[in-house]
């Protein structure tokens, strides 16, 4: 059994820790800070075998030098020369073996151009999507176009409905505040917002989410929904699904 637990880091990042049964060899995803990772591995007597990187931003990679020096792990990430220390560069359609499981790589440009996501089939399937798909939202467009991000989200939305979504930030509360504005008559959004508020009051992570819930509540996956489109129309062009996505993303930036 593969277990996945969050290591909170920086202000609102989660570094996901993957562990197979009781094996001491573990994997982390997007270590933006080495300190909390080392602390946990020391405390539990674990060895870092593999690091997965989704994109080049510092809050996902800054822990690499210290972790590489200490553990010499296998480091798998996108084919971007700006990321130092990778031992395996992967792109769309590639697969890699991590913790005895197959991980499939999807190119998901938008937040950055080098952004990739790691998906591993299983019961349930797991997705590590960095800053592309969040619970209730999606990443900001720093490098890619709205068209690229929309396509990337459609790629992820085509994964199995029971896929668990391990995003890299605790942005869920702000995302659902926006979702309620964008999709005000959606009872699933209202219920999800209440649940997220309770979780955050108790200082609990709101992740992972599950893809089926995202399809019902995440406005960025609901650009074809007549209600979402009608609300977005007050903020810009909504003549196509793509236009609605572009309008929603720009509106969220100002929200
Ligand atoms: Zn980022
Ligand atoms: Fe980030």
């Amino acid at each position: 059994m593969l277990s996945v637990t969050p290591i909170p880091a920086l202000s609102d990042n989660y570094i996901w820790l993957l562990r197979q049964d009781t094996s001491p060899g573990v994997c982390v995803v997007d270590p933006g800070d080495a300190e909390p990772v080392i602390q946990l591995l020391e405390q539990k007597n674990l060895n870092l075998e593999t690091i997965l990187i989704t994109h080049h931003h510092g809050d996902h990679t800054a822990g690499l030098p210290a972790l590489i020096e200490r553990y010499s792990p296998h480091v798998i990430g996108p084919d971007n020369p700006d990321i130092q220390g990778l031992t395996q560069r992967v792109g769309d359609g590639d697969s890699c073996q991590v913790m005895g499981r197959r991980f499939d790589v999807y190119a998901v440009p938008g937040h950055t151009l080098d952004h990739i996501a790691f998906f591993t089939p299983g019961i349930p399937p797991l997705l590590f999507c960095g800053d592309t798909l969040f619970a209730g939202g999606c990443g900001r467009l720093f490098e890619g176009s709205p068209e690229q991000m929309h396509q990337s989200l459609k790629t992820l939305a085509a994964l199995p409905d029971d896929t668990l979504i391990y995003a890299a930030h605790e942005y869920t509360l702000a995302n659902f505040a926006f979702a309620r504005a964008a999709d005000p008559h959606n009872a699933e959004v209202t219920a999800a917002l209440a649940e997220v508020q309770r979780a955050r009051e108790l200082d609990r992570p709101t992740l992972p989410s599950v893809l089926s819930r995202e399809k019902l509540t995440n406005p960025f996956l609901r650009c074809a929904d007549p209600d979402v489109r009608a609300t977005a129309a007050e903020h810009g062009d909504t003549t196509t699904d793509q236009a609605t996505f572009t309008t929603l993303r720009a509106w969220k930036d100002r929200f």
Side-chain angles (χ1 to χ4, degrees):
M1 255 291 279
L2 190 68
S3 69
V4 185
T5 48
I7 306 174
L10 308 171
S11 53
D12 49 30
N13 283 72
Y14 291 128
I15 300 169
W16 295 105
L17 172 79
L18 283 60
R19 199 172 172 196
Q20 189 73 267
D21 297 316
T22 53
S23 160
V26 301
C27 168
V28 295
V29 184
D30 283 352
D33 190 2
E35 190 62 29
V37 176
I38 293 171
Q39 236 176 56
L40 189 85
L41 298 189
E42 291 299 300
Q43 186 195 322
K44 303 210 172 208
N45 232 334
L46 301 172
N47 180 45
L48 185 58
E49 278 181 1
T50 308
I51 298 176
L52 300 180
I53 299 289
T54 63
H55 66 294
H56 69 88
H57 281 162
D59 63 308
H60 301 251
T61 58
L64 277 177
L67 293 173
I68 289 170
E69 191 184 307
R70 193 176 182 111
Y71 300 101
S72 303
H74 192 48
V75 187
I76 306 171
D79 191 7
N80 178 350
D82 290 347
I83 306 171
Q84 308 274 311
L86 297 182
T87 58
Q88 187 179 353
R89 298 176 185 275
V90 291
D92 196 45
D94 289 343
S95 318
C96 44
Q97 287 291 321
V98 180
M99 318 290 298
R101 278 172 70 143
R102 191 186 90 224
F103 280 62
D104 300 327
V105 178
Y106 291 90
V108 285
H111 176 70
T112 62
L113 290 176
D114 67 349
H115 208 304
I116 56 175
F118 295 93
F119 171 80
T120 179
I123 305 168
L126 314 177
L127 176 71
F128 299 90
C129 50
D131 292 354
T132 298
L133 175 62
F134 291 120
C138 74
R140 273 178 193 265
L141 302 176
F142 285 109
E143 297 175 7
S145 65
E147 288 75 17
Q148 284 175 312
M149 185 57 125
H150 190 218
Q151 187 53 53
S152 294
L153 292 176
K154 283 200 254 183
T155 300
L156 299 182
L159 293 170
D161 266 349
D162 59 341
T163 301
L164 297 182
I165 311 295
Y166 291 91
H169 289 274
E170 181 59 67
Y171 287 162
T172 315
L173 197 53
N175 285 342
F176 273 106
F178 177 74
R180 194 169 57 169
D183 201 358
H185 308 301
N186 185 338
E188 303 281 348
V189 168
T190 310
L193 177 59
E195 197 181 305
V196 164
Q197 277 166 335
R198 264 195 309 276
R200 293 314 293 152
E201 276 161 22
L202 299 168
D203 206 27
R204 287 200 192 126
T206 60
L207 296 167
S209 182
V210 58
L211 187 55
S212 55
R213 187 174 90 149
E214 291 308 309
K215 287 185 183 174
L216 291 174
T217 59
N218 189 324
F220 296 98
L221 300 184
R222 297 172 55 75
C223 296
D225 181 86
D227 277 356
V228 172
R229 187 167 288 204
T231 317
E234 294 162 28
H235 299 267
D237 183 10
T238 54
T239 46
T240 61
D241 290 358
Q242 176 59 54
T244 304
F245 177 84
T246 305
T247 294
L248 280 176
R249 188 54 265 183
W251 176 20
K252 172 72 164 61
D253 288 343
R254 307 185 299 266
F255 188 76

